[in-house]
Amino acid sequence: MKVLADLCVIPMGVGVSVSKYVAECEKALAEAGLTHRLHAYGTNIEGEWDEVMAAVKACHERVHAMGAERITTSLKLGTRIDRDQSLQDKIDSVRSKLD
Amino acid sequence: MKVLADLCVIPMGVGVSVSKYVAECEKALAEAGLTHRLHAYGTNIEGEWDEVMAAVKACHERVHAMGAERITTSLKLGTRIDRDQSLQDKIDSVRSKLD
Amino acid sequence: MKVLADLCVIPMGVGVSVSKYVAECEKALAEAGLTHRLHAYGTNIEGEWDEVMAAVKACHERVHAMGAERITTSLKLGTRIDRDQSLQDKIDSVRSKLD
Amino acid sequence: MKVLADLCVIPMGVGVSVSKYVAECEKALAEAGLTHRLHAYGTNIEGEWDEVMAAVKACHERVHAMGAERITTSLKLGTRIDRDQSLQDKIDSVRSKLD
C-alpha cells in the first residue's frame, strides 16, 4: 500500500529553535531512500506504507537521541486504491484548475 | 517506545456520513487490544509504537475493503523519554490546573 | 456558520510540561461560553465559526502572555450545510454502529 | 499578531477528486493578498492572524457554495513573539543544517 504523507515533528522542551531536529528528520528520510520535499510547515513524503512508517519512527528515535525528551508529531496519511498518484500529481492537479 | 496517539480517519468519496467507517476503525483498535477512547473528532490511543502503527494500517486496509477508494488520515504521535505518561495522566494534569 | 473544532495548542520552549498552558486555553474557551470537552490530545469545541476563532486567538494571546514565546497549534474545523450536528451527535453516530 | 499557517481543506461527499475545491481555496488566498505556497498536502500561508482566518473562512464558504455539503479542514497555526519569521526563513533554517 502506497502512501502520500505529510510529517511535522515538534520537539518540546528544547527551546524555540528546532530546525536542527527537523534537519535530522530530513536526513532520516533521505537515508531511507524516500521521496520527500520540505515545506515551511512539514515535509511531504511518498513511499510504501511500511517504509514511510519506519522512517517516521526513526525520526522520533533520532530526535530523542539528540536530547529532546518529548516529541509531538502531526502526520497526515493519504492512501487510495482507485489509481496511483504521486506528490507531484496532486500539485499538478490543483494547478491545472487555476489556469 | 510507547506512544500516545490521536487518530482521525476520513474516507473520501463515500458520501457525507462516515460513521460506519470510523466504527470499523474502533473495532480494529479494540481487536488489537489497544487502550483507546473515541471523542468527537478522533480517537485517543495508547500503546507501544509498533502496535499502534499496525492498528492504524489495519484501519486503512479495512476502510478500503469496505469500499472507500480514498482515505486521508490525521495522526498525532506523542513520545517522551523523561517519564511514563498515560492518556488519563494528560487529562488529569490539565484538570488539576483548573481548580 | 457553525463549526465543530478540535484544538491542540503546543507552547514551545517552555519545557516538557505544558498542562498549565492548556489549562489557560480551557479557561479561555469557558469564558467564551463555548461548549468544549477536553481529551488527552486536544479539546473538542462546538460553536459559531467567529466565536470559536476568536477563542482560538485568545488562547494564543494568553499563552504568549504567560511567557511562551512560540506556539504551534493544530486545529481541525468541520462544517456542514446538509444538517445540524453536535459533538455528541458525532460520538453517538459512531457508537450506534458498534452495537 | 502574525501567523504562519498550513491549510488542508477536505471536502467530503463529492467524490475522490477534490482538486477543483482546493483550487478555489487557492483563489481565495490569492484574492486576499496573502503569501501562500501550495504543496502536495496543503498550503503554507503567511499573514496577519485576522486576515489569514478570514481567508480560511472564505475557503469554507466558497467550497460549500460549490456544492460540497461537508468539509473537514486541518489547520496549523504558528505564532511567535521572540522574533519575526517568514515561511522562507523556516525552510532556510532547516536547509542550513543539512549542509
Side-chain angles (χ1 to χ4, degrees), chain D residues 19-39:
Chain D
S19 54
K20 70 176 177 179
Y21 304 94
V22 176
E24 186 70 16
C25 291
E26 293 297 294
K27 290 174 194 168
L29 296 171
E31 290 172 19
L34 292 165
T35 299
H36 63 289
R37 294 186 195 171
L38 179 70
H39 60 80

Side-chain angles (χ1 to χ4, degrees), chain A residues 16, chain C residues 60-61 63-71, chain D residues 1-2 78-84:
Chain A
V16 293
Chain C
H60 272 245
E61 291 171 336
V63 171
H64 279 313
M66 289 173 77
E69 293 190 324
R70 187 175 184 180
I71 304 170
Chain D
M1 185 163 59
K2 185 179 165 182
T79 58
R80 56 195 304 173
I81 56 175
D82 58 332
R83 66 180 181 91
D84 191 45

Side-chain angles (χ1 to χ4, degrees), chain A residues 26-36 45-47 51 55:
Chain A
E26 292 298 295
K27 289 174 193 168
L29 297 171
E31 289 171 19
L34 292 164
T35 300
H36 62 291
I45 311 169
E46 178 178 340
E51 292 172 29

Side-chain angles (χ1 to χ4, degrees), chain B residues 8 10-18 41 69-74, chain D residues 8 10-18 41 69-74:
Chain B
C8 178
I10 302 165
M12 297 172 70
V14 293
V16 292
S17 296
V18 299
Y41 226 127
E69 293 190 326
R70 187 175 185 182
I71 304 171
T72 186
T73 284
S74 286
Chain D
C8 179
I10 301 165
M12 297 172 70
V14 293
V16 293
S17 296
V18 299
Y41 227 127
E69 293 189 326
R70 186 174 186 183
I71 304 170
T72 185
T73 283
S74 286

